[in-house]
PDB file of all heavy atoms in Angstrom:
ATOM      1  N   VAL B 116     -14.544  -6.693  25.386  1.00 95.00           N
ATOM      2  CA  VAL B 116     -14.058  -8.035  25.059  1.00 95.00           C
ATOM      3  C   VAL B 116     -15.106  -8.804  24.260  1.00 95.00           C
ATOM      4  O   VAL B 116     -14.813  -9.399  23.212  1.00 95.00           O
ATOM      5  CB  VAL B 116     -13.700  -8.771  26.370  1.00 95.00           C
ATOM      6  CG1 VAL B 116     -13.546 -10.252  26.126  1.00 95.00           C
ATOM      7  CG2 VAL B 116     -12.416  -8.188  26.956  1.00 95.00           C
ATOM      8  N   LEU B 117     -16.362  -8.737  24.733  1.00 95.00           N
ATOM      9  CA  LEU B 117     -17.420  -9.475  24.037  1.00 95.00           C
ATOM     10  C   LEU B 117     -17.615  -8.936  22.620  1.00 95.00           C
ATOM     11  O   LEU B 117     -17.751  -9.698  21.657  1.00 95.00           O
ATOM     12  CB  LEU B 117     -18.728  -9.370  24.832  1.00 95.00           C
ATOM     13  CG  LEU B 117     -19.874 -10.232  24.314  1.00 95.00           C
ATOM     14  CD1 LEU B 117     -19.530 -11.706  24.422  1.00 95.00           C
ATOM     15  CD2 LEU B 117     -21.158  -9.940  25.073  1.00 95.00           C
ATOM     16  N   GLU B 118     -17.599  -7.595  22.478  1.00 94.00           N
ATOM     17  CA  GLU B 118     -17.785  -6.998  21.143  1.00 94.00           C
ATOM     18  C   GLU B 118     -16.622  -7.350  20.214  1.00 94.00           C
ATOM     19  O   GLU B 118     -16.815  -7.541  19.015  1.00 94.00           O
ATOM     20  CB  GLU B 118     -17.908  -5.476  21.260  1.00 94.00           C
ATOM     21  CG  GLU B 118     -19.230  -5.026  21.850  1.00 94.00           C
ATOM     22  CD  GLU B 118     -19.223  -3.580  22.299  1.00 94.00           C
ATOM     23  OE1 GLU B 118     -18.121  -3.026  22.549  1.00 94.00           O
ATOM     24  OE2 GLU B 118     -20.291  -3.003  22.432  1.00 94.00           O
ATOM     25  N   ASN B 119     -15.406  -7.430  20.785  1.00 95.00           N
ATOM     26  CA  ASN B 119     -14.266  -7.876  19.993  1.00 95.00           C
ATOM     27  C   ASN B 119     -14.540  -9.243  19.390  1.00 95.00           C
ATOM     28  O   ASN B 119     -14.206  -9.502  18.240  1.00 95.00           O
ATOM     29  CB  ASN B 119     -13.021  -7.978  20.881  1.00 95.00           C
ATOM     30  CG  ASN B 119     -12.128  -6.764  20.769  1.00 95.00           C
ATOM     31  OD1 ASN B 119     -11.383  -6.627  19.817  1.00 95.00           O
ATOM     32  ND2 ASN B 119     -12.225  -5.860  21.728  1.00 95.00           N
ATOM     33  N   CYS B 120     -15.158 -10.118  20.201  1.00 95.00           N
ATOM     34  CA  CYS B 120     -15.374 -11.497  19.757  1.00 95.00           C
ATOM     35  C   CYS B 120     -16.550 -11.617  18.789  1.00 95.00           C
ATOM     36  O   CYS B 120     -16.555 -12.491  17.930  1.00 95.00           O
ATOM     37  CB  CYS B 120     -15.626 -12.404  20.953  1.00 95.00           C
ATOM     38  SG  CYS B 120     -14.203 -12.555  22.027  1.00 95.00           S
ATOM     39  N   THR B 121     -17.568 -10.740  18.934  1.00 95.00           N
ATOM     40  CA  THR B 121     -18.755 -10.909  18.092  1.00 95.00           C
ATOM     41  C   THR B 121     -18.670 -10.110  16.798  1.00 95.00           C
ATOM     42  O   THR B 121     -19.458 -10.335  15.891  1.00 95.00           O
ATOM     43  CB  THR B 121     -20.030 -10.462  18.843  1.00 95.00           C
ATOM     44  OG1 THR B 121     -19.856  -9.111  19.267  1.00 95.00           O
ATOM     45  CG2 THR B 121     -20.284 -11.345  20.049  1.00 95.00           C
ATOM     46  N   LEU B 122     -17.712  -9.193  16.705  1.00 95.00           N
ATOM     47  CA  LEU B 122     -17.667  -8.291  15.548  1.00 95.00           C
ATOM     48  C   LEU B 122     -17.622  -9.037  14.219  1.00 95.00           C
ATOM     49  O   LEU B 122     -18.462  -8.826  13.340  1.00 95.00           O
ATOM     50  CB  LEU B 122     -16.459  -7.367  15.673  1.00 95.00           C
ATOM     51  CG  LEU B 122     -16.386  -6.315  14.570  1.00 95.00           C
ATOM     52  CD1 LEU B 122     -16.686  -4.946  15.140  1.00 95.00           C
ATOM     53  CD2 LEU B 122     -15.053  -6.322  13.881  1.00 95.00           C
ATOM     54  N   ALA B 123     -16.632  -9.919  14.078  1.00 94.00           N
ATOM     55  CA  ALA B 123     -16.481 -10.595  12.784  1.00 94.00           C
ATOM     56  C   ALA B 123     -17.650 -11.535  12.486  1.00 94.00           C
ATOM     57  O   ALA B 123     -18.181 -11.506  11.372  1.00 94.00           O
ATOM     58  CB  ALA B 123     -15.150 -11.320  12.728  1.00 94.00           C
ATOM     59  N   PRO B 124     -18.096 -12.375  13.448  1.00 94.00           N
ATOM     60  CA  PRO B 124     -19.260 -13.215  13.126  1.00 94.00           C
ATOM     61  C   PRO B 124     -20.458 -12.390  12.663  1.00 94.00           C
ATOM     62  O   PRO B 124     -21.150 -12.769  11.721  1.00 94.00           O
ATOM     63  CB  PRO B 124     -19.558 -13.927  14.450  1.00 94.00           C
ATOM     64  CG  PRO B 124     -18.246 -13.985  15.141  1.00 94.00           C
ATOM     65  CD  PRO B 124     -17.523 -12.720  14.750  1.00 94.00           C
ATOM     66  N   ILE B 125     -20.702 -11.234  13.312  1.00 93.00           N
ATOM     67  CA  ILE B 125     -21.864 -10.424  12.940  1.00 93.00           C
ATOM     68  C   ILE B 125     -21.666  -9.767  11.577  1.00 93.00           C
ATOM     69  O   ILE B 125     -22.538  -9.811  10.719  1.00 93.00           O
ATOM     70  CB  ILE B 125     -22.134  -9.337  14.009  1.00 93.00           C
ATOM     71  CG1 ILE B 125     -22.634  -9.990  15.298  1.00 93.00           C
ATOM     72  CG2 ILE B 125     -23.151  -8.324  13.498  1.00 93.00           C
ATOM     73  CD1 ILE B 125     -22.815  -9.025  16.449  1.00 93.00           C
ATOM     74  N   TRP B 126     -20.486  -9.170  11.359  1.00 93.00           N
ATOM     75  CA  TRP B 126     -20.307  -8.347  10.154  1.00 93.00           C
ATOM     76  C   TRP B 126     -19.752  -9.116   8.972  1.00 93.00           C
ATOM     77  O   TRP B 126     -19.890  -8.688   7.841  1.00 93.00           O
ATOM     78  CB  TRP B 126     -19.408  -7.152  10.461  1.00 93.00           C
ATOM     79  CG  TRP B 126     -20.100  -6.170  11.328  1.00 93.00           C
ATOM     80  CD1 TRP B 126     -20.024  -6.086  12.686  1.00 93.00           C
ATOM     81  CD2 TRP B 126     -21.019  -5.140  10.918  1.00 93.00           C
ATOM     82  NE1 TRP B 126     -20.829  -5.079  13.144  1.00 93.00           N
ATOM     83  CE2 TRP B 126     -21.440  -4.481  12.091  1.00 93.00           C
ATOM     84  CE3 TRP B 126     -21.505  -4.719   9.684  1.00 93.00           C
ATOM     85  CZ2 TRP B 126     -22.341  -3.417  12.055  1.00 93.00           C
ATOM     86  CZ3 TRP B 126     -22.390  -3.669   9.650  1.00 93.00           C
ATOM     87  CH2 TRP B 126     -22.797  -3.025  10.825  1.00 93.00           C
ATOM     88  N   VAL B 127     -19.082 -10.244   9.205  1.00 92.00           N
ATOM     89  CA  VAL B 127     -18.571 -11.013   8.072  1.00 92.00           C
ATOM     90  C   VAL B 127     -19.511 -12.167   7.746  1.00 92.00           C
ATOM     91  O   VAL B 127     -19.791 -12.454   6.595  1.00 92.00           O
ATOM     92  CB  VAL B 127     -17.148 -11.533   8.362  1.00 92.00           C
ATOM     93  CG1 VAL B 127     -16.639 -12.370   7.210  1.00 92.00           C
ATOM     94  CG2 VAL B 127     -16.210 -10.362   8.625  1.00 92.00           C
ATOM     95  N   LYS B 128     -20.015 -12.836   8.801  1.00 91.00           N
ATOM     96  CA  LYS B 128     -20.867 -14.002   8.556  1.00 91.00           C
ATOM     97  C   LYS B 128     -22.344 -13.677   8.662  1.00 91.00           C
ATOM     98  O   LYS B 128     -23.184 -14.580   8.552  1.00 91.00           O
ATOM     99  CB  LYS B 128     -20.542 -15.084   9.584  1.00 91.00           C
ATOM    100  CG  LYS B 128     -19.229 -15.810   9.315  1.00 91.00           C
ATOM    101  CD  LYS B 128     -19.098 -16.937  10.299  1.00 91.00           C
ATOM    102  CE  LYS B 128     -18.130 -17.987   9.820  1.00 91.00           C
ATOM    103  NZ  LYS B 128     -17.984 -19.031  10.848  1.00 91.00           N
ATOM    104  N   ASN B 129     -22.704 -12.408   8.942  1.00 89.00           N
ATOM    105  CA  ASN B 129     -24.105 -11.986   9.101  1.00 89.00           C
ATOM    106  C   ASN B 129     -24.848 -12.815  10.130  1.00 89.00           C
ATOM    107  O   ASN B 129     -26.027 -13.130   9.967  1.00 89.00           O
ATOM    108  CB  ASN B 129     -24.842 -12.058   7.760  1.00 89.00           C
ATOM    109  CG  ASN B 129     -24.270 -11.076   6.779  1.00 89.00           C
ATOM    110  OD1 ASN B 129     -23.926  -9.956   7.149  1.00 89.00           O
ATOM    111  ND2 ASN B 129     -24.130 -11.487   5.534  1.00 89.00           N
ATOM    112  N   MET B 130     -24.157 -13.180  11.203  1.00 89.00           N
ATOM    113  CA  MET B 130     -24.787 -13.988  12.245  1.00 89.00           C
ATOM    114  C   MET B 130     -25.644 -13.059  13.119  1.00 89.00           C
ATOM    115  O   MET B 130     -25.256 -11.932  13.375  1.00 89.00           O
ATOM    116  CB  MET B 130     -23.670 -14.604  13.079  1.00 89.00           C
ATOM    117  CG  MET B 130     -24.099 -15.720  13.981  1.00 89.00           C
ATOM    118  SD  MET B 130     -22.676 -16.259  14.979  1.00 89.00           S
ATOM    119  CE  MET B 130     -21.885 -17.402  13.869  1.00 89.00           C
TER     120      MET B 130
END
Side-chain angles (χ1 to χ4, degrees):
Chain B
V116 165
L117 187 64
E118 287 165 338
N119 262 282
C120 294
T121 56
L122 185 109
I125 291 175
W126 289 95
V127 178
K128 285 186 159 177
N129 295 321
M130 194 184 275

